[in-house]
Amino acid sequence: MNDVTELLLRHRSVRSFKPDAVSDDMLETIVRCAQMASTSSNVQAYTVIAVTNPETKRALSVVAGNQRHVEQCPVLLVWCADLSRDRLACANEGVTMVSGTMENFIVATVDVALAAQNAAVAAESLGLGIVYIGGLRNDLREVTRLLNVPELVYPIFGMCLGYPEGPSGVRPRLPLRAVLHREAYDAGVYAAAVAEYDKTMREYYLERTKGKRDTTWSKEMADKFGRPARAYVRDYLEEQGFRFD
Ligand SMILES: Cc1cc2nc3c(=O)[nH]c(=O)nc-3n(C[C@H](O)[C@H](O)[C@H](O)COP(=O)(O)O)c2cc1C
């Protein structure tokens, strides 16, 4: 173990923040760390929009299903996959970017996620807390309007940033053997590993909520994946110029 692995193993999402501002210096350090994430062929296909304006944060919290922490956090980072600068670079060379491919969509989406996670780790190492906000995808057209997001850019998630208020618990993960397979894929471990994790999570929720939340990981996944979610996203992405020919 070292300081970095200990920090990573202590991660927990923070959903309650002190009102203290995050300094520009800190924000810039965090985004510089994000920029140093590996990036496919150096495309750097992301932009992050730092939102501190209370009205904009309030509007974004409504989009996210009235998540209070989106309004309460001092800074909301909105992470966007962004091929628009790459298109400019192509144009500098007299080349028309072929952007309408699933591959380019994956490149941009992976790039922004890697950068964001570097930012998350940097923020936590500086004593800040974060929580990702996928809830922005409830209405990406509204996010696009509020933040003036251009073509070939799409906001993928927000990230609340600020000083944590009060403690929050570390959420247990699946047993290691469920996700670490050696030499070849091995689904044979799943039944027992998921049963074990269901038990762990049930106990975790019961304890955390003083008996009020009685659920398991399997129940949560059935709830999440048992119905279609945000079916409009494909049309929205096409409107933004991410075509899947
Ligand atoms: C892409 C993404 C979107 C998320 N969206 C939300 C969200 O909208 N609201 C929220 O409270 N947490 C959100 N989370 C946080 C997850 O619920 C959390 O990371 C997960 O349950 C594990 O808990 P932990 O981060 O405390 O370890 C999101 C996480 C990710 C990676």
Side-chain angles (χ1 to χ4, degrees), residues 11-13 15 67 69 131-135 157 169 171 173:
H11 161 78
R12 76 278 317 263
S13 290
R15 297 182 177 83
Q67 297 193 48
H69 35 279
V131 61
Y132 283 86
I133 302 295
F157 43 66
R171 189 174 284 215
R173 295 300 199 256

Side-chain angles (χ1 to χ4, degrees), residues 36-219:
M36 292 315 293
S38 292
T39 156
S40 184
S41 309
N42 205 23
V43 292
Q44 302 173 68
Y46 50 78
T47 296
V48 56
I49 304 170
V51 179
T52 54
N53 180 298
E55 276 170 32
T56 315
K57 279 190 294 164
R58 190 168 314 129
L60 291 168
S61 82
V62 172
V63 170
N66 296 308
Q67 297 193 48
R68 209 176 58 90
H69 35 279
V70 174
E71 192 178 345
Q72 196 215 9
C73 66
V75 188
L76 178 73
L77 298 178
V78 179
W79 292 93
C80 303
D82 185 347
L83 288 170
S84 69
R85 280 183 308 262
D86 304 280
R87 178 174 58 184
L88 173 71
C90 291
N92 286 343
E93 296 301 313
V95 168
T96 304
M97 174 187 249
V98 182
S99 58
T101 65
M102 184 64 88
E103 170 64 11
N104 286 350
F105 173 72
I106 292 174
V107 162
T109 304
V110 169
D111 251 38
V112 65
L114 297 178
Q117 184 57 21
N118 256 26
V121 174
E124 290 179 355
S125 78
L126 294 168
L128 298 167
I130 65 103
V131 61
Y132 283 86
I133 302 295
L136 292 189
R137 291 198 304 280
N138 287 343
D139 189 351
L140 287 174
R141 292 187 180 105
E142 177 66 357
V143 178
T144 296
R145 192 188 68 76
L146 286 165
L147 303 181
N148 205 17
V149 173
E151 207 194 20
L152 280 187
V153 184
Y154 87 95
I156 181 163
F157 43 66
M159 181 186 281
C160 299
L161 184 67
Y163 291 92
E165 174 95 292
S168 45
V170 172
R171 189 174 284 215
R173 295 300 199 256
L174 283 158
L176 185 66
R177 68 184 191 283
V179 297
L180 173 60
H181 302 193
R182 296 184 191 270
E183 312 308 340
Y185 196 93
D186 177 15
V189 295
Y190 287 165
V194 168
E196 180 186 324
Y197 190 53
D198 276 342
K199 190 165 172 290
T200 306
M201 288 308 285
R202 179 161 187 258
E203 283 162 9
Y204 167 79
Y205 286 131
L206 284 173
E207 200 207 307
R208 225 173 54 133
T209 63
K210 300 195 173 57
K212 280 196 216 113
R213 187 162 176 197
D214 187 357
T215 190
T216 64
W217 186 71
S218 290
K219 281 187 186 147

Side-chain angles (χ1 to χ4, degrees), residues 217-227:
W217 186 71
S218 290
K219 281 187 186 147
E220 287 188 311
M221 295 307 107
D223 189 43
K224 181 175 172 66
F225 293 115
R227 49 195 154 121

Side-chain angles (χ1 to χ4, degrees), residues 16-29:
S16 189
F17 296 92
K18 294 185 175 146
D20 312 35
V22 174
S23 71
D24 271 356
D25 260 9
M26 252 189 190
L27 176 64
E28 287 177 12
T29 300

